[in-house]
Amino acid sequence: MRLDKLFDLQGRIALVTGGGTGIGWMIAEGLAANGAKVYITGRRKEVLEKAAASFNQSNQGNGSIVPMVMDVTDRKSISAGQEVIASKEGRLHIMVNNAGQTGPVSKFLEDPNAPEQKDPETLGRAMFNNESFEEWTGIYSINAFSIYFVTTAFLGLLAKGSADIPGYTSSVINITSISGIIKLSQNHFGYNSSKAAASHLTKMLATELALKKIPVRVCSIAPGVYESGMTYDKITEDKVDIVGKGLIPVPERRPGSAQEIAGTVIYLASPAGCYTNGQEIAVDGGYTAVNPSVR
């Protein structure tokens, strides 16, 4: 029952997509600081290398961070990444599907005085003309489609990770969003619906793998307001609800911290989380408790 056993990550091999910045970096840093060898992926090599170097030079723990360029919307790139992990490690214990983007935004939706909201015809036309099929396809590709393709590409390595440690099961952790849980559009129908798709995809993957007796757990974490490239580098109290765009303010009156998101990932990825499967955990300061949601 000791903490160093309950949440042991020593010797674990992890992969975090979109791991060079924002929430992905918070997660990668937390895993590595507690003993894991973490591969961070993204499209920008220089960003990944800079992030990895900053951790490896800081001596924060006995883990490490390795940069690896991989485009989660490209099957060839995903396959190339899988081959790197297969040849260098031979197994994988933790997969964090974190890569994501915001997509098209229709700002007039939150302004009742906007000319686009003059009447139903005007509003409908504004919503129709302001976004495109191509933009929606792009946001679904990275926020939802990538989870399916990255997870299935690495599934064999994840199963080997479970066989590597008695009593332990490898874990896929999908970073969704409270935007996929609440019923508000927050000005971006595409982003919110793509995150809802990611949440349901998590449940389907967990169920299918469990029914097929594949020893890989699949869960998701839905962050609330956090500092990232999609919000602000620094979120002060006056900006919390600008980001959250809720009907009711965030009860905690602050953004989430790196410790809170990394700690939730560590729980799911460690021995302490091995009896948890197919679940989504909202780490949102009470946002979904006070705003209309599907829960």
Side-chain angles (χ1 to χ4, degrees), residues 65-146:
I65 293 181
V66 181
M68 184 175 76
V69 175
M70 186 177 82
D71 182 351
V72 298
T73 64
D74 183 272
R75 290 176 64 192
K76 289 184 179 179
S77 184
I78 295 169
S79 292
Q82 189 273 349
E83 290 172 4
V84 169
I85 303 298
S87 63
K88 291 188 175 181
E89 309 297 343
R91 77 257 196 246
L92 186 65
H93 303 107
I94 304 161
M95 161 72 72
V96 182
N97 287 306
N98 166 77
Q101 290 180 354
T102 303
V105 175
S106 294
K107 293 185 178 180
F108 54 82
L109 287 170
E110 69 178 345
D111 181 6
N113 298 314
E116 291 88 348
Q117 294 205 42
K118 182 178 68 173
D119 54 48
E121 175 67 23
T122 304
L123 178 60
R125 280 293 160 186
M127 293 173 68
F128 179 84
N129 292 326
N130 193 59
E131 302 184 10
S132 69
F133 276 91
E134 291 76 16
E135 288 176 311
W136 274 62
T137 299
I139 199 62
Y140 267 76
S141 290
I142 191 165
N143 287 356
F145 303 167
S146 69

Side-chain angles (χ1 to χ4, degrees), residues 183-293:
K183 299 176 184 178
L184 303 170
S185 75
Q186 298 173 303
N187 294 343
H188 33 58
F189 272 90
Y191 176 81
N192 289 28
S193 59
S194 71
K195 287 297 186 178
S199 295
H200 192 61
L201 183 56
T202 297
K203 295 176 175 63
M204 288 194 295
L205 284 168
T207 297
E208 289 290 344
L209 297 185
L211 290 173
K212 291 169 176 55
K213 295 181 171 52
I214 296 173
V216 177
R217 297 174 294 111
V218 187
C219 291
S220 59
I221 297 173
V225 177
Y226 278 79
E227 294 169 349
S228 74
M230 294 194 296
T231 57
Y232 297 98
D233 291 335
K234 183 68 176 176
I235 299 178
T236 51
E237 184 175 339
D238 61 305
K239 288 182 178 178
V240 172
D241 295 312
I242 293 175
V243 175
K245 300 183 187 302
L247 297 178
I248 306 296
V250 177
E252 286 294 322
R253 307 301 307 145
R254 64 171 177 82
S257 70
Q259 291 92 335
E260 287 158 342
I261 192 70
T264 308
V265 171
I266 289 169
Y267 155 66
L268 288 173
S270 70
C274 281
Y275 208 53
T276 305
N277 194 10
Q279 304 301 309
E280 183 168 59
I281 303 173
V283 187
D284 65 355
Y287 184 102
T288 52
V290 298
N291 282 286
S293 72

